[in-house]
Amino acid sequence: MADTQTVKLKIKRQDGPKAQAHWEEFEIPYKSGMNVISAMMDIAANPVTKDGKTTTPIAYDSNCLEEICGSCAMLINGKARMACSALVKNLEQPITVEPLSKFPLVRDLAVDRNVLFENLKKVKAWVPVDGTYDLGSGPRVTPQKQEQAYPLSNCISCTICMEVCPQFNESTGFVGAATISQVALFNDHPTGAVLKEERLHALMGDGGIHECGYAQNCVESCPKGIPLTRSISRVAGQVMLQTVKDIFSR
Amino acid sequence: MSTAVSPGPSSTTSANDHPQGIAPLRAGQGHEFFWRRLHSLTGIIPVGAFLFEHILISNATAINGATAYAHQVRFLGSLPFVLGLELLGIWLPIAFHALYGFYIWYRGRANLISYPWMGNWMYSLQRWSGAIAFAYIIWHTYTMRFTGVDLHEVPGASFGKVQHELFVTPLFLFYVIGLVAASWHFAYGIWLFCAKWGITVGERARQKFLYICIAFFFLLSAVGLASMTKFRSTPQQCTDQPCADQIEQAK
Ligand code: HEM
């Protein structure tokens, strides 16, 4: 039989946070350009397992399908990556798909990544421009500074850098590379810099920048190619200078 | 008002009926920053500085023979406040760095199988090399400092005392493994230190500095091995009193 090409997937399912996890296998027709998300869309259109058992569509987060929204991070063949840019033709089959392992599970492949949002709030990862009157235009940002800031501004909050980090775990409560890199970004910004000391002090708290063990998995796996270790080293230097300043001026 | 509060044990909201997961940053809380940075610093000063002196200076004098070695040991033993120096400059810092190092190790979740990348290998190797160095250091201090002839009293016996150990081939191999593990741990530790303290910020700077640290590892290992070879290739020197004193007094 000149069989039409098929795709085999093995997907970890879990009905809710407290439910038992189990695996389901699927075999669906291949379409050109297929990625892991579009494969799961096809499964949703016809939710039948490989053994012909009817099941529910798979729950997962996704949105833009062009690696820009950061929603669809999951473990594909054991590695954390964006499902939308995981092209089926480049993957070994059966493709195993699991939820990120370090975040509270919501359902199937959907996890609660709120901790990153909390961390960004803790370090005040923003430029403070709110006021009761028009503050006028801010200081000029030189093209050189823009060039330095641009790669860091590419962060899509996918949390892959945290998932792959050996130091990001329940024991350390490490803040993770994404947040530290945002500190680098906002400390560089001429208006954002007013909060620099507060950010550095925040990163000295438990779970702060010192928990980094420099295994460098974060840069290896960042889908946006953000120079995360450079950010960590830079901010670590700022934290050390701040420490010296504190010792002599507090 | 619904501001986000830090996760307490009794969050009863229905939105939170799944496990809490990893805690967010505890800004402004705790002392881990201090201890972690102290651990990092003790790795360089004084523990690393001691290792540098121990391999590249003191033990390297063995290459100049038993008498030169005895003089070096006599010099070290004659330093003012030796016991204080040993206690506060070596033993306490090593004990702290090692024990806190095991604690850091215990709190990490190595994931080499899923992510077998260079830096991740080095992360694990830093822990294993530390553990090997630890086992070696305990043995080495126990036999050399706390048992047998007291070398502060009889510096002339130093060369022979080391030879007694190194002529036992399994012990010699243990010494070689200990040397290589400690050298790697220190050399890569310098690289880690510079990355973690914001000294080598750029990718290229870190890459180049890695080569320098690897070269330093080879230097430490080679000089250490050369010293050990000298002990092994010299006939057994005496360690008993009148004879050892003669070694010390020879020109
Ligand atoms: C020969 C004596 C030793 C020297 C010269 C030494 C030196 C160093 C240096 C310079 C660092 C880099 C600092 C840093 O990464 O923050 C380091 C890191 C480390 N050392 Fe040691 N060390 C020694 C013994 C030990 C022992 C016995 C252990 C016990 C397991 C140990 C465990 C560690 C760990 C776990 C790290 C990595 C810390 C991290 O990733 O944050 N070390 N050491």
Side-chain angles (χ1 to χ4, degrees):
Chain A
M1 188 175 96
D3 54 348
T4 51
Q5 263 189 307
T6 61
V7 181
K8 291 195 189 70
L9 295 115
K10 199 170 160 226
I11 299 176
K12 201 170 183 184
R13 313 276 323 245
Q14 189 170 335
D15 288 344
K18 297 206 176 77
Q20 275 283 317
H22 62 278
W23 291 92
E24 273 181 3
E25 292 185 44
F26 298 91
E27 188 161 0
I28 56 173
Y30 178 77
K31 289 179 187 162
S32 111
M34 193 174 227
N35 62 53
V36 170
I37 293 289
S38 71
M40 291 197 293
M41 286 174 167
D42 285 359
I43 292 173
N46 179 26
V48 176
T49 67
K50 197 174 142 205
D51 315 321
K53 203 175 96 245
T54 304
T55 182
T56 48
I58 298 143
Y60 55 86
D61 286 321
S62 86
N63 189 3
C64 73
L65 304 187
E66 55 177 359
E67 207 176 61
I68 202 72
C69 76
S71 313
C72 67
M74 47 191 79
L75 300 182
I76 295 166
N77 284 346
K79 285 191 166 54
R81 56 181 297 180
M82 304 309 290
C84 64
S85 59
L87 294 179
V88 164
K89 72 170 186 320
N90 299 335
L91 293 170
E92 208 173 293
Q93 292 193 29
I95 302 165
T96 62
V97 188
E98 299 162 76
L100 295 181
S101 66
K102 294 187 178 173
F103 302 88
L105 188 116
V106 178
R107 183 179 176 147
D108 291 343
L109 306 173
V111 293
D112 177 356
R113 289 173 286 175
N114 186 51
V115 62
L116 175 55
F117 186 51
E118 293 301 323
N119 284 335
L120 290 170
K121 285 195 282 186
K122 289 272 159 78
V123 300
K124 303 189 196 279
W126 56 73
V127 174
V129 287
D130 288 349
T132 51
Y133 57 93
D134 182 3
L135 296 171
S137 56
R140 267 183 63 109
V141 180
T142 61
Q144 286 87 341
K145 281 238 166 188
Q146 290 171 18
E147 232 160 83
Q148 193 177 348
Y150 182 67
L152 307 187
S153 72
N154 275 339
C155 178
I156 56 177
S157 303
C158 65
T159 68
I160 287 176
C161 59
M162 298 154 85
E163 170 74 19
V164 300
C165 173
Q167 291 294 109
F168 179 74
N169 60 51
E170 249 125 33
S171 178
T172 63
F174 177 40
V175 63
T179 306
I180 296 172
S181 193
Q182 291 303 295
V183 168
L185 173 66
F186 288 106
N187 282 357
D188 279 346
H189 189 282
T191 307
V194 287
L195 298 174
K196 181 170 176 178
E197 282 197 13
E198 286 179 57
R199 294 193 192 101
L200 299 179
H201 284 141
L203 284 182
M204 292 177 201
D206 280 2
I209 192 163
H210 47 277
E211 285 293 352
C212 168
Y214 234 85
Q216 305 171 71
N217 291 354
C218 53
V219 249
E220 290 282 353
S221 58
C222 175
K224 307 308 285 184
I226 298 172
L228 292 167
T229 44
R230 170 187 284 264
S231 290
I232 292 174
S233 287
R234 270 177 62 211
V235 174
Q238 294 174 2
V239 166
M240 287 322 294
L241 287 178
Q242 185 63 43
T243 305
V244 173
K245 209 170 141 195
D246 289 348
I247 290 172
F248 289 103
S249 64
R250 262 193 165 179
Chain B
M1 210 175 84
S2 68
T3 44
V5 287
S6 53
S10 61
S11 52
T12 44
T13 39
S14 57
N16 260 347
D17 62 354
H18 47 80
Q20 290 285 343
I22 294 169
L25 175 66
R26 279 80 72 209
Q29 291 170 38
H31 303 282
E32 277 167 13
F33 177 71
F34 173 79
W35 293 111
R36 213 35 210 267
R37 284 296 180 250
L38 187 66
H39 177 262
S40 213
L41 185 64
T42 52
I44 305 281
I45 299 167
V47 181
F50 168 76
L51 191 70
F52 184 97
E53 192 283 328
H54 195 61
I55 295 178
L56 294 184
I57 300 174
S58 284
N59 279 300
T61 50
I63 294 166
N64 290 343
T67 302
Y69 196 59
H71 290 172
Q72 182 64 21
V73 175
R74 187 176 62 196
F75 161 70
L76 291 176
S78 69
L79 289 173
F81 313 111
V82 210
L83 202 67
L85 283 179
E86 282 183 307
L87 192 67
L88 297 176
I90 315 173
W91 296 332
L92 207 64
I94 289 194
F96 166 70
H97 182 90
L99 298 180
Y100 201 77
F102 280 114
Y103 174 66
I104 293 172
W105 190 354
Y106 164 76
R107 303 214 308 158
R109 300 285 173 271
N111 52 15
L112 256 182
I113 309 228
S114 306
Y115 307 106
W117 296 321
M118 246 285 282
N120 209 15
W121 270 101
M122 294 305 136
Y123 171 90
S124 284
L125 193 56
Q126 191 68 5
R127 280 137 186 83
W128 284 102
S129 62
I132 295 170
F134 186 66
Y136 170 75
I137 291 165
I138 300 250
W139 167 261
H140 181 62
T141 331
Y142 173 71
T143 53
M144 284 298 153
R145 181 70 180 86
F146 294 109
T147 49
V149 210
D150 183 348
L151 299 181
H152 287 190
E153 297 295 322
V154 198
S158 305
F159 202 95
K161 191 177 181 184
V162 177
Q163 283 182 311
H164 275 305
E165 290 244 302
L166 290 185
F167 278 133
V168 183
T169 302
L171 272 183
F172 170 68
L173 291 178
F174 184 42
Y175 266 67
V176 173
I177 293 169
L179 167 76
V180 172
S183 300
W184 177 262
H185 186 89
F186 180 37
Y188 192 69
I190 300 172
W191 185 87
L192 279 174
F193 179 89
C194 290
K196 288 183 187 177
W197 287 58
I199 298 164
T200 47
V201 166
E203 288 76 18
R204 270 164 58 90
R206 261 181 276 117
Q207 186 61 48
K208 282 186 185 155
F209 191 56
L210 183 58
Y211 295 137
I212 294 174
C213 289
I214 291 172
F216 182 61
F217 159 72
F218 281 113
L219 178 74
L220 283 173
S221 302
V223 174
L225 275 176
S227 314
M228 285 195 231
T229 313
K230 179 70 181 184
F231 285 111
R232 295 255 299 180
S233 62
T234 308
Q236 175 68 54
Q237 303 289 300
C238 59
T239 54
D240 51 326
Q241 189 82 65
C243 168
D245 288 345
Q246 276 170 14
I247 295 180
E248 188 192 343
Q249 267 125 44
K251 281 228 287 162

